[in-house]
Amino acid sequence: MNWNRIEENWQESLPFILARWPDMDEEVLEEMEGDEAGFLAYLAETEGLDEEEAEEELGDFLENFDAREIEGELEESEDDE
């Protein structure tokens, strides 16, 4: 999974993001509208990470997001639109 897919489906991706990082504020995320640089900065701030650690966290999330997508969770959400 790459970030473009997340960005294109930002609202549908938020529950997955919040499940992974529950300390994030949903309103702050909504305002980002899928901005990857903004997300990485917010991730680093929220989790107390440096830039490299935040990038690794995001990479791990995107790898796991692939599995959820294969299970159809994101597609089901898109079908509800």
Side-chain angles (χ1 to χ4, degrees):
M1 167 76 52
N2 65 35
W3 185 261
N4 291 335
R5 179 90 164 128
I6 300 288
E7 184 177 9
E8 291 169 3
N9 298 285
W10 187 243
Q11 291 299 317
E12 294 81 5
S13 300
L14 291 180
F16 298 110
I17 292 169
L18 290 166
R20 173 64 180 88
W21 297 288
D23 292 334
M24 290 187 163
D25 184 297
E26 186 171 0
E27 289 180 19
V28 172
L29 290 171
E30 287 175 355
E31 291 174 10
M32 285 181 194
E33 298 179 351
D35 174 54
E36 184 176 12
F39 179 80
L40 281 168
Y42 185 57
L43 174 60
E45 175 187 329
T46 304
E47 299 296 312
L49 306 171
D50 65 29
E51 183 179 334
E52 185 176 318
E53 291 170 325
E55 289 175 1
E56 289 175 14
E57 283 275 321
L58 180 57
D60 290 343
F61 172 77
L62 292 174
E63 286 179 21
N64 290 326
F65 201 82
D66 280 338
R68 287 192 287 264
E69 184 181 34
I70 290 168
E71 292 169 9
E73 293 181 29
L74 184 57
E75 284 82 6
E76 288 173 16
S77 175
E78 289 174 350
D79 291 343
D80 293 339
E81 291 178 2

